[in-house]
């Protein structure tokens, strides 16, 4: 089967590229940076594993509780809505109460969301989706904010930040595949709720490790939340590079989350069945998911290689254009499984490059004092895009036209970022007032120190 053969071919390519990055590219000899890298990745990947463990069986769990399709759609929309409204506020607390504290709050909220999965009650499950939406906003803002701030405060080379994000993306893909397998094993043996219990356990372990190995850092803790939001909006308005990055994130991730909802019907070949008979599953979802994750890993290695010859501001322009072309395949070649699958793999490679590139650019241009708040503001239009598409009964061709259009606009925004970076490059990220006052006096031990 093509999906299985593709997996082994992708693994070979991934291993070759990974070994190349380890041998042909300069290695980091700074033991302090290596220890710092491990300290961040252990906590971050545990948090990501807690998220991935829940994904494969959410829909199946709701179905097992007798929820209708409409109720399940309401629960999913509530999650994105919660992330857009409540998540933006709670996630923005990171700049004031501390990024480490917010990451720990992520673990607590997501663990509580897992507890709600034990109840076959729509409203209790709704509470869980609301908690999960808030937690998701924290996952995609506070962890990056903590890393960038701590990296700069410890005085590490700025070029190493991209390498860190690339490794985090690669590790996230490995965790995704492992979590998917583990979730399936526990679900088969103990039922659909079991993966959520494992997720809660991983999140609690993450919180404990973060308490003992991460130091706290802040944005500007002297201002209240309202002022922090005002400052974040001013930063977005005054610096067009930040505005473009927010637009790029919203459009690319909007296309990506929509793709997640549409790749199954796009790859499922049409079948003629007797009237009233439900269509049978004809594609191996597990293998295809593994293919996608390995493609993401390939993208993360390509990002690391390209950074040695160019800058993300420059090489991400063709990446977004290629991503737009890859999602246009179902438009021009509908029901053609092989070319559509190849296009989707290409898109996932672009996703693997997008994550470390966007994180690197945000770390470079977003001001430290409002970093987490700005990151969460970026997610407002993103969630609006996903909710709008979820609430519409659009045809597959129109949906992929929208996705390709989003990516083409993102390509234009990236060209704008490149032009602005050439005309007014920014190479220094100022420390927040709290960092300037405290320096590194509150530094906590790294993992290998305890």
């Amino acid at each position: 089967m093509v999906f299985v053969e593709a997996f082994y071919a992708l693994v070979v390519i991934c291993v070759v590229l990974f070994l190349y990055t380890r041998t042909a590219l300069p290695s980091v000899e700074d033991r302090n940076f290596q220890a710092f890298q491990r300290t961040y990745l252990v906590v971050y990947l545990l948090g990501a594993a807690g998220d991935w463990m829940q994904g494969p069986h959410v829909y199946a769990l709701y179905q097992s509780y007798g929820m209708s399709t409409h109720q399940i759609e309401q629960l999913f929309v509530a999650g994105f809505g919660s992330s857009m409204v409540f998540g933006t506020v709670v996630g923005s607390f990171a700049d004031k109460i501390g990024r480490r504290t917010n990451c720990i709050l992520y673990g607590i909220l997501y663990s509580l969301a897992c507890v709600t999965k034990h109840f076959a009650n729509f409203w209790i499950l709704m509470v869980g989706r609301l908690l999960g939406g808030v937690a998701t906003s924290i996952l995609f803002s506070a962890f990056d904010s903590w890393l960038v701030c701590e990296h700069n405060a410890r005085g590490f080379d700025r070029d190493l930040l991209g390498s860190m994000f690339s490794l985090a993306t690669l590790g996230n893909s490995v965790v995704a595949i492992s979590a998917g397998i583990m979730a399936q094993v526990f679900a088969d043996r103990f039922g659909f709720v079991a993966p959520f219990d494992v997720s809660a356990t991983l999140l609690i372990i993450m919180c404990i490790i973060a308490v003992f190995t991460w130091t706290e850092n802040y944005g500007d803790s002297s201002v209240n939340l309202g002022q922090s939001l005002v400052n974040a909006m001013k930063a977005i308005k005054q610096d067009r590079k930040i505005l473009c990055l927010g637009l790029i994130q919203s459009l690319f991730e909007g296309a990506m989350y929509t793709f997640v909802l549409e790749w199954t019907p796009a790859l499922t070949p049409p079948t003629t069945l007797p009237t009233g008979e439900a269509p049978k599953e004809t594609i191996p979802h597990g293998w295809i998911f593994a293919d996608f994750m390995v493609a993401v890993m390939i993208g993360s290695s390509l990002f690391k290689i390209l950074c040695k010859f160019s800058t993300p501001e420059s090489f991400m322009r063709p990446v977004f254009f290629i991503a737009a072309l890859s999602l246009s395949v179902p438009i021009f070649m509908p029901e053609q499984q092989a070319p559509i699958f190849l296009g989707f793999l290409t898109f996932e490679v672009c996703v693997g490059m997008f994550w470390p590139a966007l994180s690197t650019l945000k770390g470079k241009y977003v001001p430290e004092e409002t970093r987490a708040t700005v990151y969460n503001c970026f997610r407002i239009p993103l969630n609006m895009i996903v909710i709008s598409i979820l609430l519409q009964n659009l045809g597959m061709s129109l949906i992929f036209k929208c996705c390709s259009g989003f990516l083409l606009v993102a390509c234009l925004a990236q060209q704008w970022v490149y032009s602005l970076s050439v005309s007014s490059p920014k190479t220094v990220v100022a420390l927040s007032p709290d960092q300037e006052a405290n320096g590194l006096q509150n530094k906590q031990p790294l993992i290998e120190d305890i």
Side-chain angles (χ1 to χ4, degrees):
M1 184 178 292
V2 64
F3 302 114
V4 179
E5 295 169 351
F7 174 76
Y8 293 114
L10 290 166
V11 167
V12 171
I13 296 172
C14 182
V15 171
V16 170
L17 286 175
F18 179 73
L19 292 177
Y20 175 79
T21 61
R22 295 291 299 271
T23 57
L25 301 180
S27 59
V28 180
E29 303 296 338
D30 188 341
R31 291 179 59 84
N32 289 330
F33 178 77
Q34 293 173 350
F36 171 66
Q37 190 176 58
R38 288 191 291 272
T39 298
Y40 171 73
L41 289 176
V42 167
V43 175
Y44 169 71
L45 293 179
L46 279 172
D51 183 44
W52 284 115
M53 281 293 299
Q54 301 182 43
H57 296 94
V58 174
Y59 199 99
L61 179 68
Y62 292 158
Q63 282 186 322
S64 71
Y65 285 155
M67 300 293 164
S68 67
T69 301
H70 180 64
Q71 287 177 313
I72 295 175
E73 290 174 349
Q74 287 180 312
L75 290 170
F76 276 99
V77 170
F80 284 106
S82 171
S83 180
M84 179 177 67
V85 179
F86 303 114
T88 302
V89 176
V90 175
S92 300
F93 283 146
D95 289 324
K96 183 172 181 62
I97 67 174
R99 280 75 180 263
R100 183 189 68 171
T101 300
N102 223 28
C103 292
I104 294 171
L105 180 61
Y106 158 77
I108 295 172
L109 292 177
Y110 227 178
S111 296
L112 292 175
C114 291
V115 173
T116 66
K117 300 300 188 292
H118 283 269
F119 301 90
N121 179 282
F122 176 80
W123 294 109
I124 295 178
L125 293 174
M126 178 65 76
V127 171
R129 290 299 298 176
L130 296 177
L131 292 173
V134 175
T136 301
S137 285
I138 297 175
L139 174 63
F140 289 105
S141 60
F143 286 84
D144 278 11
S145 298
W146 182 89
L147 172 62
V148 174
C149 179
E150 199 68 16
H151 182 96
N152 293 330
R154 291 175 184 266
F156 295 127
D157 188 340
R158 283 190 51 81
D159 292 337
L160 295 177
L161 194 58
S163 176
M164 176 80 90
F165 283 125
S166 175
L167 190 57
T169 300
L170 188 146
N172 190 38
S173 299
V174 174
V175 164
I177 297 173
S178 303
I181 296 172
M182 187 183 301
Q184 190 63 56
V185 170
F186 276 86
D188 290 342
R189 183 166 298 184
F190 303 108
F192 289 137
V193 77
F196 297 91
D197 294 333
V198 177
S199 173
T201 302
L202 292 172
L203 293 168
I204 292 171
I205 294 173
M206 181 214 76
C207 291
I208 294 172
I209 295 177
V211 167
F212 289 103
T213 63
W214 280 23
T215 184
E216 186 63 276
N217 62 51
Y218 304 85
D220 188 352
S221 61
S222 63
V223 300
N224 57 38
L225 177 61
Q227 186 60 46
S228 180
L229 288 169
V230 170
N231 292 342
M233 296 307 297
K234 284 183 179 179
I236 295 172
K237 181 179 179 181
Q238 293 173 356
D239 191 333
R240 288 174 293 176
K241 292 189 290 293
I242 299 177
L243 176 63
C244 287
L245 290 177
L247 181 63
I248 290 168
Q249 177 174 340
S250 298
L251 293 171
F252 189 95
E253 292 189 28
M256 182 185 68
Y257 285 122
T258 304
F259 164 79
V260 169
L261 300 174
E262 294 296 323
W263 69 259
T264 294
L267 288 175
T268 302
T271 55
T272 303
L273 296 174
T275 304
E277 185 176 335
K280 298 179 181 179
E281 180 178 326
T282 57
I283 58 173
H285 290 80
W287 281 106
I288 296 173
F289 176 76
D291 291 337
F292 289 164
M293 289 301 100
V294 177
V296 171
M297 295 166 67
I298 291 173
S300 70
S301 294
L302 288 175
F303 168 81
K304 196 171 182 179
I305 294 170
L306 288 174
C307 280
K308 298 301 176 182
F309 304 100
S310 183
T311 63
E313 289 92 338
S314 178
F315 67 70
M316 286 306 295
R317 294 175 295 169
V319 169
F320 289 130
F321 185 72
I322 293 171
L325 292 179
S326 68
L327 289 191
S328 68
V329 177
I331 303 171
F332 300 105
M333 306 180 71
E335 301 179 0
Q336 300 295 313
Q337 189 184 68
I340 290 175
F341 178 57
L342 181 60
F344 287 175
L345 288 178
T346 304
F347 176 70
E348 290 291 352
V349 172
C350 295
V351 171
M353 301 178 69
F354 166 77
W355 286 120
L358 182 71
S359 297
T360 301
L361 292 174
K362 290 193 299 185
K364 182 176 182 180
Y365 294 117
V366 177
E368 190 61 61
E369 60 270 14
T370 57
R371 182 177 301 280
T373 307
V374 169
Y375 285 8
N376 280 285
C377 288
F378 286 171
R379 296 188 62 80
I380 295 176
L382 158 64
N383 286 295
M384 291 178 65
I385 290 173
V386 177
I387 290 173
S388 298
I389 292 177
L390 280 175
L391 293 177
Q392 303 296 319
N393 187 24
L394 303 177
M396 185 186 302
S397 178
L398 180 56
I399 288 176
F400 279 105
K401 286 178 182 177
C402 291
C403 290
S404 295
F406 294 159
L407 294 170
L408 286 175
V409 176
C411 180
L412 295 175
Q414 185 64 40
Q415 171 62 37
W416 195 6
V417 171
Y418 174 73
S419 300
L420 292 171
S421 68
V422 171
S423 60
S424 57
K426 177 180 178 179
T427 57
V428 179
V429 175
L431 299 180
S432 70
D434 290 315
Q435 284 179 273
E436 294 175 347
N438 298 331
L440 297 179
Q441 62 185 358
N442 295 324
K443 177 182 176 182
Q444 289 187 318
L446 299 173
I447 284 179
E448 66 179 23
D449 297 328
I450 62 175

